[in-house]
Amino acid sequence: MRFQTQILAIILSLSIFGLGCSTSKDSDLASQLGLGNPVITEIDPPSGSPPIGTTAGTTVTIKGRLFSADTSLTTVKFNGISASVLSATSTEIVTVVPAGASTGTLFVTKDGPVYCDENNGSAATNCYGRKFYIDCYKSSDNLYGEELGVSYPDSKTFEITGQTGTKALRIDLNPDGPTNVKIACETYLIYSKFSKTCGRTDVGTFSDTSTWVYEPTLTFSSYYTVQMFVTAGKGNCTVSFP
């Protein structure tokens, strides 16, 4: 009787072990086939720029699980703007920030009925979203050093130490309405400002001093993080919100 009990215990253990292996293999197979809703676990880098001038958009690697390994069935959108999918596996997608992209939600979708939910709620189908920040300065390889961050309504001052110099600015506007931004330097200046989608507007030409301006006030109609380059002569400059 004791021998029979031991045999039954061994058979039961083997059955449980076999079931566990089968479940694990089925789960691995489902992941390899991309069955189920996709999940994003990491975006590298978490910020980047679209194409600016001759500089290509930032290459972005999206990591996660349950992606489609078929690039033709995989869609990546940066705040609604479709991007090219360079490669795809069940756990990794490589793409490039497209022209026209702005800060917002990056969505990954795959073949079949698709319903996207910014909060990745239970109603989302074949879609997953994560925040992605558009950084227009990213394409400049830190050309003008670290950006100076200024947030409404606080002002900040920076110094130009050379005969002339350029400072990169990142300005968070008033989230509740239009914003005036004043750039006041001890000398005349020129500047470049970027739109939400990194379109660049230059005011003044370095080689033509007649185009330089004094203490300009810029008006922005809606909230976003403005990135700028300010070039001025030696002295102090202040960014404020009049």
Side-chain angles (χ1 to χ4, degrees):
M1 184 68 176
R2 182 180 178 185
F3 177 75
Q4 291 176 335
T5 301
Q6 290 175 335
I7 293 295
L8 287 173
I10 293 172
I11 293 173
L12 181 59
S13 298
L14 289 174
S15 298
I16 294 173
F17 177 76
L19 181 61
C21 289
S22 176
T23 302
S24 175
K25 289 180 179 178
D26 289 345
S27 177
D28 291 344
L29 180 60
S31 178
Q32 291 170 10
L33 294 176
L35 300 177
N37 293 324
V39 175
I40 297 172
T41 57
E42 181 184 354
I43 300 176
D44 183 28
S47 64
S49 68
I52 299 177
T54 58
T55 304
T58 303
T59 298
V60 176
T61 300
I62 305 166
K63 297 180 181 180
R65 58 184 182 272
L66 300 178
F67 298 152
S68 172
D70 188 337
T71 57
S72 67
L73 302 180
T74 301
T75 301
V76 177
K77 290 187 176 182
F78 290 78
N79 204 23
I81 304 298
S82 296
S84 298
V85 177
L86 304 182
S87 65
T89 69
S90 63
T91 58
E92 184 174 288
I93 298 169
V94 179
T95 185
V96 176
V97 180
S102 59
T103 295
T105 305
L106 180 157
F107 281 115
V108 168
T109 63
K110 61 183 183 180
D111 191 44
V114 173
Y115 175 77
C116 291
D117 177 356
E118 289 191 10
N119 298 315
N120 303 309
S122 58
T125 303
N126 287 336
C127 184
Y128 199 97
R130 285 280 289 268
K131 191 76 173 179
F132 188 87
Y133 175 66
I134 293 298
D135 182 357
C136 306
Y137 191 40
K138 203 86 167 181
S139 67
S140 299
D141 295 325
N142 220 35
L143 178 63
Y144 303 118
E146 185 178 353
E147 283 182 303
L148 174 69
V150 187
S151 296
Y152 177 90
D154 300 324
S155 62
K156 278 196 177 179
T157 298
F158 61 92
E159 183 182 10
I160 301 294
T161 56
Q163 191 64 30
T164 58
T166 301
K167 186 65 178 176
L169 307 177
R170 185 182 67 253
I171 306 171
D172 288 317
L173 302 177
N174 179 6
D176 298 323
T179 311
N180 291 328
V181 177
K182 184 176 183 178
I183 313 292
C185 296
E186 295 177 10
T187 67
Y188 282 75
L189 60 89
I190 58 177
Y191 65 87
S192 300
K193 63 177 180 178
F194 293 90
S195 68
K196 293 180 182 180
T197 56
C198 292
R200 177 171 172 168
T201 300
D202 296 321
V203 175
T205 303
F206 185 83
S207 59
D208 184 358
T209 55
S210 68
T211 64
W212 289 48
V213 296
Y214 188 70
E215 297 191 355
T217 296
L218 291 64
T219 300
F220 299 91
S221 60
S222 61
Y223 171 78
Y224 72 104
T225 298
V226 180
Q227 291 180 284
M228 297 181 62
F229 301 147
V230 174
T231 300
K234 187 174 183 178
N236 291 324
C237 297
T238 300
V239 183
S240 62
F241 302 91

PDB file of all heavy atoms in Angstrom, residues 38 62 68 70-78 81-85 93 95 106-111 114 126-128:
ATOM      1  N   PRO A  38      -0.467  44.911 -27.119  1.00  0.00           N
ATOM      2  CA  PRO A  38       0.937  45.283 -26.920  1.00  0.00           C
ATOM      3  C   PRO A  38       1.119  46.060 -25.620  1.00  0.00           C
ATOM      4  O   PRO A  38       0.186  46.691 -25.124  1.00  0.00           O
ATOM      5  CB  PRO A  38       1.248  46.164 -28.134  1.00  0.00           C
ATOM      6  CG  PRO A  38      -0.083  46.739 -28.525  1.00  0.00           C
ATOM      7  CD  PRO A  38      -1.084  45.655 -28.240  1.00  0.00           C
ATOM      8  N   ILE A  62      11.693  51.295 -29.103  1.00  0.00           N
ATOM      9  CA  ILE A  62      10.559  51.061 -28.206  1.00  0.00           C
ATOM     10  C   ILE A  62      10.630  49.614 -27.742  1.00  0.00           C
ATOM     11  O   ILE A  62      10.615  48.683 -28.558  1.00  0.00           O
ATOM     12  CB  ILE A  62       9.224  51.319 -28.928  1.00  0.00           C
ATOM     13  CG1 ILE A  62       9.217  52.725 -29.532  1.00  0.00           C
ATOM     14  CG2 ILE A  62       8.044  51.137 -27.978  1.00  0.00           C
ATOM     15  CD1 ILE A  62       8.098  52.946 -30.538  1.00  0.00           C
ATOM     16  N   SER A  68       3.867  43.121 -32.747  1.00  0.00           N
ATOM     17  CA  SER A  68       3.876  42.314 -33.962  1.00  0.00           C
ATOM     18  C   SER A  68       5.283  42.358 -34.548  1.00  0.00           C
ATOM     19  O   SER A  68       5.905  43.422 -34.616  1.00  0.00           O
ATOM     20  CB  SER A  68       2.884  42.859 -34.994  1.00  0.00           C
ATOM     21  OG  SER A  68       3.038  42.176 -36.228  1.00  0.00           O
ATOM     22  N   ASP A  70       5.910  41.777 -37.559  1.00  0.00           N
ATOM     23  CA  ASP A  70       5.735  42.132 -38.973  1.00  0.00           C
ATOM     24  C   ASP A  70       5.669  43.655 -39.080  1.00  0.00           C
ATOM     25  O   ASP A  70       4.727  44.278 -38.589  1.00  0.00           O
ATOM     26  CB  ASP A  70       4.455  41.496 -39.506  1.00  0.00           C
ATOM     27  CG  ASP A  70       4.299  41.655 -41.017  1.00  0.00           C
ATOM     28  OD1 ASP A  70       4.908  42.591 -41.583  1.00  0.00           O
ATOM     29  OD2 ASP A  70       3.542  40.869 -41.617  1.00  0.00           O
ATOM     30  N   THR A  71       6.662  44.272 -39.733  1.00  0.00           N
ATOM     31  CA  THR A  71       6.693  45.736 -39.828  1.00  0.00           C
ATOM     32  C   THR A  71       5.489  46.287 -40.584  1.00  0.00           C
ATOM     33  O   THR A  71       5.048  47.406 -40.325  1.00  0.00           O
ATOM     34  CB  THR A  71       7.981  46.223 -40.516  1.00  0.00           C
ATOM     35  OG1 THR A  71       8.078  45.607 -41.811  1.00  0.00           O
ATOM     36  CG2 THR A  71       9.210  45.872 -39.685  1.00  0.00           C
ATOM     37  N   SER A  72       4.946  45.498 -41.498  1.00  0.00           N
ATOM     38  CA  SER A  72       3.796  45.976 -42.278  1.00  0.00           C
ATOM     39  C   SER A  72       2.514  46.005 -41.450  1.00  0.00           C
ATOM     40  O   SER A  72       1.545  46.659 -41.825  1.00  0.00           O
ATOM     41  CB  SER A  72       3.587  45.098 -43.517  1.00  0.00           C
ATOM     42  OG  SER A  72       3.195  43.783 -43.148  1.00  0.00           O
ATOM     43  N   LEU A  73       2.512  45.299 -40.307  1.00  0.00           N
ATOM     44  CA  LEU A  73       1.335  45.267 -39.438  1.00  0.00           C
ATOM     45  C   LEU A  73       1.535  46.116 -38.184  1.00  0.00           C
ATOM     46  O   LEU A  73       0.660  46.169 -37.320  1.00  0.00           O
ATOM     47  CB  LEU A  73       1.024  43.822 -39.033  1.00  0.00           C
ATOM     48  CG  LEU A  73       0.772  42.831 -40.167  1.00  0.00           C
ATOM     49  CD1 LEU A  73       0.482  41.445 -39.611  1.00  0.00           C
ATOM     50  CD2 LEU A  73      -0.379  43.300 -41.053  1.00  0.00           C
ATOM     51  N   THR A  74       2.694  46.790 -38.100  1.00  0.00           N
ATOM     52  CA  THR A  74       3.033  47.595 -36.929  1.00  0.00           C
ATOM     53  C   THR A  74       2.915  49.074 -37.260  1.00  0.00           C
ATOM     54  O   THR A  74       3.415  49.533 -38.282  1.00  0.00           O
ATOM     55  CB  THR A  74       4.473  47.299 -36.469  1.00  0.00           C
ATOM     56  OG1 THR A  74       4.586  45.906 -36.144  1.00  0.00           O
ATOM     57  CG2 THR A  74       4.854  48.131 -35.259  1.00  0.00           C
ATOM     58  N   THR A  75       2.256  49.822 -36.394  1.00  0.00           N
ATOM     59  CA  THR A  75       2.107  51.266 -36.581  1.00  0.00           C
ATOM     60  C   THR A  75       2.627  51.995 -35.354  1.00  0.00           C
ATOM     61  O   THR A  75       2.331  51.618 -34.227  1.00  0.00           O
ATOM     62  CB  THR A  75       0.635  51.659 -36.808  1.00  0.00           C
ATOM     63  OG1 THR A  75       0.136  50.976 -37.957  1.00  0.00           O
ATOM     64  CG2 THR A  75       0.482  53.154 -37.006  1.00  0.00           C
ATOM     65  N   VAL A  76       3.425  53.048 -35.598  1.00  0.00           N
ATOM     66  CA  VAL A  76       3.897  53.921 -34.517  1.00  0.00           C
ATOM     67  C   VAL A  76       3.481  55.341 -34.862  1.00  0.00           C
ATOM     68  O   VAL A  76       3.725  55.813 -35.970  1.00  0.00           O
ATOM     69  CB  VAL A  76       5.427  53.852 -34.342  1.00  0.00           C
ATOM     70  CG1 VAL A  76       5.879  54.829 -33.257  1.00  0.00           C
ATOM     71  CG2 VAL A  76       5.871  52.440 -34.001  1.00  0.00           C
ATOM     72  N   LYS A  77       2.832  56.013 -33.910  1.00  0.00           N
ATOM     73  CA  LYS A  77       2.427  57.408 -34.119  1.00  0.00           C
ATOM     74  C   LYS A  77       2.920  58.267 -32.964  1.00  0.00           C
ATOM     75  O   LYS A  77       2.755  57.918 -31.799  1.00  0.00           O
ATOM     76  CB  LYS A  77       0.907  57.521 -34.248  1.00  0.00           C
ATOM     77  CG  LYS A  77       0.357  56.936 -35.540  1.00  0.00           C
ATOM     78  CD  LYS A  77      -1.131  57.230 -35.700  1.00  0.00           C
ATOM     79  CE  LYS A  77      -1.655  56.719 -37.034  1.00  0.00           C
ATOM     80  NZ  LYS A  77      -3.083  57.042 -37.236  1.00  0.00           N
ATOM     81  N   PHE A  78       3.519  59.405 -33.311  1.00  0.00           N
ATOM     82  CA  PHE A  78       3.959  60.394 -32.338  1.00  0.00           C
ATOM     83  C   PHE A  78       2.904  61.499 -32.276  1.00  0.00           C
ATOM     84  O   PHE A  78       2.828  62.338 -33.172  1.00  0.00           O
ATOM     85  CB  PHE A  78       5.318  60.980 -32.735  1.00  0.00           C
ATOM     86  CG  PHE A  78       6.476  60.027 -32.611  1.00  0.00           C
ATOM     87  CD1 PHE A  78       6.701  59.054 -33.580  1.00  0.00           C
ATOM     88  CD2 PHE A  78       7.348  60.109 -31.535  1.00  0.00           C
ATOM     89  CE1 PHE A  78       7.780  58.182 -33.482  1.00  0.00           C
ATOM     90  CE2 PHE A  78       8.428  59.238 -31.427  1.00  0.00           C
ATOM     91  CZ  PHE A  78       8.641  58.273 -32.391  1.00  0.00           C
ATOM     92  N   ILE A  81       1.066  61.614 -35.509  1.00  0.00           N
ATOM     93  CA  ILE A  81       1.849  61.635 -36.750  1.00  0.00           C
ATOM     94  C   ILE A  81       2.524  60.284 -36.955  1.00  0.00           C
ATOM     95  O   ILE A  81       3.289  59.828 -36.104  1.00  0.00           O
ATOM     96  CB  ILE A  81       2.913  62.755 -36.726  1.00  0.00           C
ATOM     97  CG1 ILE A  81       2.266  64.112 -36.463  1.00  0.00           C
ATOM     98  CG2 ILE A  81       3.701  62.773 -38.024  1.00  0.00           C
ATOM     99  CD1 ILE A  81       1.276  64.545 -37.521  1.00  0.00           C
ATOM    100  N   SER A  82       2.233  59.645 -38.081  1.00  0.00           N
ATOM    101  CA  SER A  82       2.777  58.315 -38.358  1.00  0.00           C
ATOM    102  C   SER A  82       4.283  58.361 -38.601  1.00  0.00           C
ATOM    103  O   SER A  82       4.799  59.288 -39.245  1.00  0.00           O
ATOM    104  CB  SER A  82       2.082  57.703 -39.580  1.00  0.00           C
ATOM    105  OG  SER A  82       0.721  57.496 -39.322  1.00  0.00           O
ATOM    106  N   ALA A  83       4.972  57.347 -38.089  1.00  0.00           N
ATOM    107  CA  ALA A  83       6.424  57.244 -38.241  1.00  0.00           C
ATOM    108  C   ALA A  83       6.784  55.978 -39.006  1.00  0.00           C
ATOM    109  O   ALA A  83       6.022  55.006 -39.024  1.00  0.00           O
ATOM    110  CB  ALA A  83       7.087  57.228 -36.871  1.00  0.00           C
ATOM    111  N   SER A  84       7.959  55.985 -39.619  1.00  0.00           N
ATOM    112  CA  SER A  84       8.453  54.793 -40.314  1.00  0.00           C
ATOM    113  C   SER A  84       8.920  53.759 -39.296  1.00  0.00           C
ATOM    114  O   SER A  84       9.584  54.102 -38.316  1.00  0.00           O
ATOM    115  CB  SER A  84       9.625  55.157 -41.235  1.00  0.00           C
ATOM    116  OG  SER A  84       9.225  56.059 -42.239  1.00  0.00           O
ATOM    117  N   VAL A  85       8.557  52.505 -39.521  1.00  0.00           N
ATOM    118  CA  VAL A  85       9.007  51.405 -38.662  1.00  0.00           C
ATOM    119  C   VAL A  85      10.188  50.743 -39.355  1.00  0.00           C
ATOM    120  O   VAL A  85      10.040  50.119 -40.408  1.00  0.00           O
ATOM    121  CB  VAL A  85       7.881  50.394 -38.413  1.00  0.00           C
ATOM    122  CG1 VAL A  85       8.392  49.224 -37.577  1.00  0.00           C
ATOM    123  CG2 VAL A  85       6.700  51.064 -37.724  1.00  0.00           C
ATOM    124  N   ILE A  93      10.777  47.597 -31.158  1.00  0.00           N
ATOM    125  CA  ILE A  93      10.476  48.304 -32.406  1.00  0.00           C
ATOM    126  C   ILE A  93      11.461  49.453 -32.538  1.00  0.00           C
ATOM    127  O   ILE A  93      11.702  50.192 -31.585  1.00  0.00           O
ATOM    128  CB  ILE A  93       9.038  48.860 -32.402  1.00  0.00           C
ATOM    129  CG1 ILE A  93       8.020  47.727 -32.300  1.00  0.00           C
ATOM    130  CG2 ILE A  93       8.774  49.708 -33.638  1.00  0.00           C
ATOM    131  CD1 ILE A  93       6.605  48.212 -32.026  1.00  0.00           C
ATOM    132  N   THR A  95      12.192  52.955 -34.673  1.00  0.00           N
ATOM    133  CA  THR A  95      11.506  53.928 -35.508  1.00  0.00           C
ATOM    134  C   THR A  95      12.278  55.237 -35.495  1.00  0.00           C
ATOM    135  O   THR A  95      13.319  55.357 -34.852  1.00  0.00           O
ATOM    136  CB  THR A  95      10.056  54.138 -35.009  1.00  0.00           C
ATOM    137  OG1 THR A  95       9.356  55.005 -35.894  1.00  0.00           O
ATOM    138  CG2 THR A  95      10.035  54.728 -33.612  1.00  0.00           C
ATOM    139  N   LEU A 106       2.983  58.732 -27.593  1.00  0.00           N
ATOM    140  CA  LEU A 106       3.476  57.827 -28.630  1.00  0.00           C
ATOM    141  C   LEU A 106       2.649  56.553 -28.535  1.00  0.00           C
ATOM    142  O   LEU A 106       2.599  55.914 -27.481  1.00  0.00           O
ATOM    143  CB  LEU A 106       4.961  57.530 -28.410  1.00  0.00           C
ATOM    144  CG  LEU A 106       5.671  56.595 -29.401  1.00  0.00           C
ATOM    145  CD1 LEU A 106       7.172  56.869 -29.377  1.00  0.00           C
ATOM    146  CD2 LEU A 106       5.433  55.115 -29.105  1.00  0.00           C
ATOM    147  N   PHE A 107       1.992  56.186 -29.639  1.00  0.00           N
ATOM    148  CA  PHE A 107       1.162  54.978 -29.664  1.00  0.00           C
ATOM    149  C   PHE A 107       1.806  53.903 -30.537  1.00  0.00           C
ATOM    150  O   PHE A 107       2.322  54.196 -31.618  1.00  0.00           O
ATOM    151  CB  PHE A 107      -0.228  55.272 -30.226  1.00  0.00           C
ATOM    152  CG  PHE A 107      -1.171  55.919 -29.248  1.00  0.00           C
ATOM    153  CD1 PHE A 107      -1.630  57.209 -29.470  1.00  0.00           C
ATOM    154  CD2 PHE A 107      -1.608  55.249 -28.118  1.00  0.00           C
ATOM    155  CE1 PHE A 107      -2.504  57.814 -28.580  1.00  0.00           C
ATOM    156  CE2 PHE A 107      -2.482  55.837 -27.225  1.00  0.00           C
ATOM    157  CZ  PHE A 107      -2.933  57.128 -27.460  1.00  0.00           C
ATOM    158  N   VAL A 108       1.768  52.675 -30.068  1.00  0.00           N
ATOM    159  CA  VAL A 108       2.125  51.500 -30.864  1.00  0.00           C
ATOM    160  C   VAL A 108       0.852  50.695 -31.083  1.00  0.00           C
ATOM    161  O   VAL A 108       0.143  50.381 -30.130  1.00  0.00           O
ATOM    162  CB  VAL A 108       3.167  50.623 -30.144  1.00  0.00           C
ATOM    163  CG1 VAL A 108       3.312  49.275 -30.849  1.00  0.00           C
ATOM    164  CG2 VAL A 108       4.518  51.332 -30.100  1.00  0.00           C
ATOM    165  N   THR A 109       0.550  50.395 -32.340  1.00  0.00           N
ATOM    166  CA  THR A 109      -0.611  49.560 -32.641  1.00  0.00           C
ATOM    167  C   THR A 109      -0.193  48.422 -33.561  1.00  0.00           C
ATOM    168  O   THR A 109       0.853  48.469 -34.208  1.00  0.00           O
ATOM    169  CB  THR A 109      -1.735  50.368 -33.324  1.00  0.00           C
ATOM    170  OG1 THR A 109      -1.269  50.868 -34.583  1.00  0.00           O
ATOM    171  CG2 THR A 109      -2.162  51.546 -32.464  1.00  0.00           C
ATOM    172  N   LYS A 110      -1.030  47.398 -33.598  1.00  0.00           N
ATOM    173  CA  LYS A 110      -0.755  46.285 -34.505  1.00  0.00           C
ATOM    174  C   LYS A 110      -2.038  45.846 -35.192  1.00  0.00           C
ATOM    175  O   LYS A 110      -3.119  46.383 -34.921  1.00  0.00           O
ATOM    176  CB  LYS A 110      -0.091  45.130 -33.762  1.00  0.00           C
ATOM    177  CG  LYS A 110      -0.906  44.526 -32.629  1.00  0.00           C
ATOM    178  CD  LYS A 110      -0.093  43.440 -31.943  1.00  0.00           C
ATOM    179  CE  LYS A 110      -0.879  42.747 -30.858  1.00  0.00           C
ATOM    180  NZ  LYS A 110      -0.096  41.703 -30.183  1.00  0.00           N
ATOM    181  N   ASP A 111      -1.921  44.881 -36.073  1.00  0.00           N
ATOM    182  CA  ASP A 111      -3.020  44.479 -36.959  1.00  0.00           C
ATOM    183  C   ASP A 111      -4.263  44.045 -36.194  1.00  0.00           C
ATOM    184  O   ASP A 111      -4.180  43.498 -35.099  1.00  0.00           O
ATOM    185  CB  ASP A 111      -2.532  43.337 -37.861  1.00  0.00           C
ATOM    186  CG  ASP A 111      -3.520  43.044 -38.972  1.00  0.00           C
ATOM    187  OD1 ASP A 111      -4.022  44.005 -39.575  1.00  0.00           O
ATOM    188  OD2 ASP A 111      -3.804  41.854 -39.217  1.00  0.00           O
ATOM    189  N   VAL A 114      -8.495  48.205 -33.807  1.00  0.00           N
ATOM    190  CA  VAL A 114      -7.649  49.005 -32.929  1.00  0.00           C
ATOM    191  C   VAL A 114      -8.475  50.068 -32.222  1.00  0.00           C
ATOM    192  O   VAL A 114      -9.204  50.832 -32.857  1.00  0.00           O
ATOM    193  CB  VAL A 114      -6.506  49.691 -33.722  1.00  0.00           C
ATOM    194  CG1 VAL A 114      -5.742  50.664 -32.823  1.00  0.00           C
ATOM    195  CG2 VAL A 114      -5.563  48.646 -34.295  1.00  0.00           C
ATOM    196  N   ASN A 126      -5.266  46.310 -29.092  1.00  0.00           N
ATOM    197  CA  ASN A 126      -4.140  46.338 -30.027  1.00  0.00           C
ATOM    198  C   ASN A 126      -3.435  47.690 -30.053  1.00  0.00           C
ATOM    199  O   ASN A 126      -2.942  48.135 -31.098  1.00  0.00           O
ATOM    200  CB  ASN A 126      -4.595  45.957 -31.447  1.00  0.00           C
ATOM    201  CG  ASN A 126      -4.889  44.480 -31.583  1.00  0.00           C
ATOM    202  OD1 ASN A 126      -4.366  43.679 -30.813  1.00  0.00           O
ATOM    203  ND2 ASN A 126      -5.724  44.119 -32.532  1.00  0.00           N
ATOM    204  N   CYS A 127      -3.387  48.354 -28.917  1.00  0.00           N
ATOM    205  CA  CYS A 127      -2.801  49.689 -28.855  1.00  0.00           C
ATOM    206  C   CYS A 127      -2.241  49.952 -27.467  1.00  0.00           C
ATOM    207  O   CYS A 127      -2.821  49.519 -26.465  1.00  0.00           O
ATOM    208  CB  CYS A 127      -3.879  50.730 -29.197  1.00  0.00           C
ATOM    209  SG  CYS A 127      -3.246  52.414 -29.270  1.00  0.00           S
ATOM    210  N   TYR A 128      -1.104  50.682 -27.421  1.00  0.00           N
ATOM    211  CA  TYR A 128      -0.524  51.065 -26.136  1.00  0.00           C
ATOM    212  C   TYR A 128       0.166  52.405 -26.315  1.00  0.00           C
ATOM    213  O   TYR A 128       0.828  52.644 -27.333  1.00  0.00           O
ATOM    214  CB  TYR A 128       0.487  50.023 -25.648  1.00  0.00           C
ATOM    215  CG  TYR A 128       0.788  50.108 -24.171  1.00  0.00           C
ATOM    216  CD1 TYR A 128       0.135  49.289 -23.258  1.00  0.00           C
ATOM    217  CD2 TYR A 128       1.727  51.029 -23.684  1.00  0.00           C
ATOM    218  CE1 TYR A 128       0.406  49.366 -21.893  1.00  0.00           C
ATOM    219  CE2 TYR A 128       1.994  51.109 -22.326  1.00  0.00           C
ATOM    220  CZ  TYR A 128       1.335  50.277 -21.435  1.00  0.00           C
ATOM    221  OH  TYR A 128       1.604  50.363 -20.088  1.00  0.00           O
TER     222      TYR A 128
END
